[in-house]
Amino acid sequence: MHIIEPTNRSLQNPQKTKKYSAPLRLWHWLSMIVIAGSLLTVLLNATLLKSRNNAPVIKSALQKAGAVVTDEQARSAAHDLSDKIWDVHVYFGYGLAALLLFRLVLEFFQIADQKFIRTIKTAYHNLSKANLQKKVARHELAVKLIYSTFYLLLIIMVITGLFLAFEDFFAPYKAIRHSVKEVHNFCMYLILAFITVHLVGVFLAERKDSKGIVSDMINGGG
């Protein structure tokens, strides 16, 4: 499990803790909120607001109130309710797209030792050195590669999500809509897996010598 545990130790100086810039911390927590909100809308529509399950409930409730409702009308009402939640899901998607763009731009303005690409290169370079940092570098590289996969999944999620949100503008490519939706849904499960692994890793790290990871992501560390 050690490989999934993030560390707040500086790769250049293991005796010091990493520093996280205010914009990076803001991005981290806003992304957490947006992704959680997006996943919640999916969960709601797959359970409590599932059209197939709610249509009979709506029909029964309206009939008890004296209304004459057909099965088709009940299904339409249930579907409209589900669509309202999907509208919220789309808005979360726009927020995620904006945050992803913000993160890409931020990479260019971060100070050198806080750049994501720079930390990967440093960890890779230190693997070739026979010193005490080699173990730290190997661990850092593994963690960063996992994070790189997460960023790639976010990019795919945003691109496929925007395609689905603006499918009317991509009429010539409508034939691939189903495939795009399948990729979008598959990436969602992979992101759920990453979040689970990330939370487990942070929990384990907080119990060991890397205590303070969560608080450092709030106050900046250093």
Side-chain angles (χ1 to χ4, degrees):
M1 297 294 286
H2 177 70
I3 194 174
I4 68 172
E5 297 173 25
T7 176
N8 59 352
R9 297 297 174 185
S10 171
L11 190 58
Q12 288 75 18
N13 188 349
Q15 301 305 316
K16 294 183 178 180
T17 58
K18 295 177 182 177
K19 292 184 178 180
Y20 301 100
S21 66
L24 181 60
R25 284 178 279 136
L26 177 65
W27 175 84
H28 177 274
W29 295 112
L30 286 179
S31 294
M32 181 198 72
I33 294 172
V34 169
I35 292 174
S38 180
L39 293 175
L40 180 60
T41 59
V42 174
L43 179 63
L44 286 174
N45 265 350
T47 55
L48 296 178
L49 297 178
K50 195 168 186 177
S51 299
R52 186 191 308 171
N53 297 335
N54 284 340
V57 176
I58 292 174
K59 181 179 180 181
S60 176
L62 290 176
Q63 286 179 336
K64 287 179 180 179
V68 178
V69 182
T70 65
D71 289 340
E72 183 63 31
Q73 290 171 329
R75 283 194 295 268
S76 178
H79 192 269
D80 286 345
L81 181 61
S82 178
D83 282 346
K84 294 297 182 181
I85 300 299
W86 282 126
D87 288 341
V88 176
H89 180 80
V90 171
Y91 289 130
F92 276 123
Y94 294 154
L96 185 60
L99 286 170
L100 179 61
L101 179 61
F102 174 77
R103 181 64 183 89
L104 294 174
V105 173
L106 179 62
E107 181 68 13
F108 292 98
F109 294 95
Q110 288 278 79
I111 60 176
D113 63 348
Q114 293 184 20
K115 288 181 180 290
F116 184 75
I117 298 298
R118 172 72 175 270
T119 59
I120 294 179
K121 289 181 178 179
T122 301
Y124 181 78
H125 177 71
N126 285 347
L127 281 176
S128 62
K129 296 181 179 180
N131 57 26
L132 295 178
Q133 290 191 48
K134 191 167 185 177
K135 182 178 180 180
V136 178
R138 185 184 298 114
H139 176 264
E140 182 81 358
L141 181 60
V143 171
K144 292 301 181 184
L145 289 177
I146 293 174
Y147 287 170
S148 297
T149 302
F150 172 68
Y151 286 133
L152 178 60
L153 289 174
L154 282 185
I155 291 172
I156 296 174
M157 280 283 288
V158 167
I159 292 175
T160 54
L162 290 176
F163 178 92
L164 295 172
F166 294 98
E167 59 180 315
D168 291 340
F169 294 94
F170 298 101
Y173 305 98
K174 203 165 186 178
I176 67 171
R177 182 187 184 281
H178 179 73
S179 297
V180 171
K181 187 175 181 180
E182 289 293 316
V183 171
H184 187 77
N185 292 341
F186 182 65
C187 284
M188 178 193 70
Y189 290 115
L190 293 180
I191 287 177
L192 274 172
F194 169 84
I195 292 173
T196 302
V197 169
H198 179 62
L199 292 176
V200 170
V202 169
F203 174 76
L204 293 176
E206 284 284 348
R207 297 180 61 191
K208 295 182 180 180
D209 60 345
S210 296
K211 290 182 179 180
I213 287 179
V214 175
S215 61
D216 286 345
M217 189 52 75
I218 295 174
N219 60 40

